[in-house]
Amino acid sequence: MLIKYKQDIPSSEITDYEVYKERRKFMASSIGLVSAATLMPLQSALAGYGGKALDFNKNNTFDTSEALTSYDKITNYNNFYEFGTDKYSPAKNAQALTTDPWSLEIAGEVEKPGKINLEDILKQHTLEERIYRLRCVERWSMVIPWTGFSLAALIKQVKPTSKAKYIQFETLNRPAEMVGQRRNVLEWPYIEGLRMDEAMHPLTLMAVGLYGEEMPKQNGAPLRLVVPWKYGFKSIKSIVKITFTDKEPVSSWTKSAPREYGFYSNVNPEVDHPRWSQRKERRIGDFLKRKTLPFNGYAEQVASLYAGMDLKKYF
Ligand SMILES: Nc1nc2c(c(=O)[nH]1)N[C@H]1C(S)=C(S)[C@@H](COP(=O)(O)O)O[C@H]1N2
Ligand SMILES: [Mo]
């Protein structure tokens, strides 16, 4: 496992990033000394934040050199309505979720529909670490080192038919373990969707971990989407099903408030949310607000997907 990191980080932004890097180095060297038989428990014991350590390559193609948000904040300030509508409940309530065994159902316009065990998916894909910004529609943002694989690779594997124009994603529906689902604050299961070219874009990640460890439950274990140029709610958590379709999926948020949450939901400082401006955001941990960038700073990579579209209409 070779992990490389950028060195050009301003000293004011070092703390968490440096600590994390040191922990990874320490883990890599310690693991090298032990036999495969003892690797698993030791690996868990050494994982810096309490989760199982993942093996991955670093992919810094899309990296930002901005400071990482601390592990503590990423895992204690969440939106995950299945576990409560406030930011602090998911960290507590999500621990009740059983994430193993887990399977993903592939349905709709594909040549290879069916259920795949997460274990088998992971055998077929090399994990990468990618540092992405996540911008919530509620005007806060974080920088997170995700571990995952390209959604494009999974899509190619199941061979979509020519009718597949969109993908609909579905979260687990299990009120026995998801206390938030006992109230109808949203229509369950949580649904999200992407256009096929958005789903195939190299930035689009199926994430199984963060900070080098297996995904914390409050962040969407064991498998979630990360689409960094869209508002956070598009990055659906704890996915159990993906359906290939010729119709634009209707997301849970669009259903509950169509004027507020459109299908595209690209981060756009020019288009206000009906109840607030989207021009600025607070990076969690910062005191001052910063300007929100078009497509959350990923315009160079994704603006061409929307060439010719009126993004005020298709918000
Ligand atoms: N299933 C499901 N996925 C979800 C949500 C949710 O309530 N349920 N919230 C979304 C919202 S609004 C945001 S901002 C991000 C938050 O991800 P994080 O808690 O890992 O930072 O998850 C998104 N994915
Ligand atoms: Mo969000």
Side-chain angles (χ1 to χ4, degrees), residues 78-82 134 136 140 146 171 190 218-219 224 232-233 235-237:
N78 302 100
N79 264 340
F80 200 167
Y81 276 33
E82 284 84 341
L134 182 86
C136 183
W140 45 266
W146 300 105
T171 295
Y190 192 100
Q218 57 271 41
N219 295 91
R224 70 170 288 176
F233 64 88
S235 292
I236 180 174
K237 296 173 167 181

Side-chain angles (χ1 to χ4, degrees), residues 135-314:
R135 166 62 157 83
C136 183
V137 75
E138 295 164 280
R139 294 161 295 178
W140 45 266
S141 62
M142 300 193 193
V143 179
I144 302 177
W146 300 105
T147 313
F149 57 91
S150 236
L151 174 60
L154 179 66
I155 293 174
K156 283 180 198 148
Q157 197 185 328
V158 301
K159 298 195 186 322
T161 71
S162 59
K163 283 192 189 154
K165 303 279 186 253
Y166 299 89
I167 303 186
Q168 174 172 300
F169 301 81
E170 219 176 287
T171 295
L172 179 72
N173 189 21
R174 191 185 286 162
E177 291 183 355
M178 299 176 125
V179 289
Q181 287 181 334
R182 296 173 201 167
R183 291 171 50 211
N184 292 328
V185 285
L186 280 178
E187 195 174 289
W188 312 114
Y190 192 100
I191 301 282
E192 259 307 334
L194 292 176
R195 209 171 61 186
M196 194 58 94
D197 57 344
E198 300 176 321
M200 290 294 291
H201 194 277
L203 271 169
T204 307
L205 193 69
M206 289 297 266
V208 295
L210 55 84
Y211 266 103
E213 296 183 3
E214 197 168 74
M215 191 67 78
K217 293 184 178 179
Q218 57 271 41
N219 295 91
L223 181 68
R224 70 170 288 176
L225 188 68
V226 183
V227 197
W229 70 94
K230 293 179 180 277
Y231 290 115
F233 64 88
K234 298 293 284 185
S235 292
I236 180 174
K237 296 173 167 181
S238 304
I239 301 167
V240 290
K241 185 174 180 183
I242 67 181
T243 308
F244 293 73
T245 150
D246 58 353
K247 283 184 211 69
E248 190 177 279
V250 181
S251 77
S252 300
W253 285 106
T254 303
K255 234 179 215 170
S256 77
R259 275 182 5 96
E260 300 188 16
Y261 310 107
F263 174 75
Y264 285 95
S265 293
N266 291 318
V267 174
N268 192 342
E270 302 296 319
V271 176
D272 292 346
H273 180 280
R275 290 181 278 143
W276 57 74
S277 157
Q278 291 288 16
R279 288 196 179 280
K280 289 192 173 172
E281 69 197 58
R282 188 184 308 284
R283 180 66 47 82
I284 297 292
D286 283 4
F287 178 66
L288 294 173
K289 286 188 180 161
R290 61 177 74 203
K291 272 190 181 167
T292 286
L293 300 172
F295 300 104
N296 199 22
Y298 298 96
E300 202 184 312
Q301 287 83 19
V302 301
S304 62
L305 299 180
Y306 311 101
M309 281 175 71
D310 177 355
L311 296 180
K312 292 199 162 134
K313 185 172 168 210
Y314 298 103

Side-chain angles (χ1 to χ4, degrees), residues 35-171:
S35 72
T38 57
L39 190 69
M40 291 308 289
L42 187 64
Q43 209 171 9
S44 309
L46 284 172
Y49 301 94
K52 190 178 146 214
L54 298 170
D55 237 317
F56 55 84
N57 301 313
K58 180 88 187 91
N59 178 344
N60 45 25
T61 318
F62 307 109
D63 271 12
T64 161
S65 56
E66 293 170 310
L68 299 183
T69 304
S70 74
Y71 179 87
D72 190 54
K73 297 213 166 87
I74 293 170
T75 55
N76 285 291
Y77 190 83
N78 302 100
N79 264 340
F80 200 167
Y81 276 33
E82 284 84 341
F83 296 107
T85 52
D86 70 283
K87 306 283 177 282
Y88 309 100
S89 292
K92 182 164 39 93
N93 294 338
Q95 305 318 316
L97 182 66
T98 308
T99 54
D100 184 16
W102 195 271
S103 60
L104 178 68
E105 185 181 347
I106 310 283
E109 292 295 338
V110 282
E111 285 176 27
K112 296 182 165 179
K115 271 196 178 177
I116 327 177
N117 286 327
L118 182 59
E119 266 171 78
D120 295 327
I121 296 177
L122 292 178
K123 274 182 211 149
Q124 286 152 5
H125 299 276
T126 317
L127 295 182
E128 293 180 348
E129 181 178 75
R130 305 185 192 179
I131 299 174
Y132 285 167
R133 289 177 290 272
L134 182 86
R135 166 62 157 83
C136 183
V137 75
E138 295 164 280
R139 294 161 295 178
W140 45 266
S141 62
M142 300 193 193
V143 179
I144 302 177
W146 300 105
T147 313
F149 57 91
S150 236
L151 174 60
L154 179 66
I155 293 174
K156 283 180 198 148
Q157 197 185 328
V158 301
K159 298 195 186 322
T161 71
S162 59
K163 283 192 189 154
K165 303 279 186 253
Y166 299 89
I167 303 186
Q168 174 172 300
F169 301 81
E170 219 176 287
T171 295

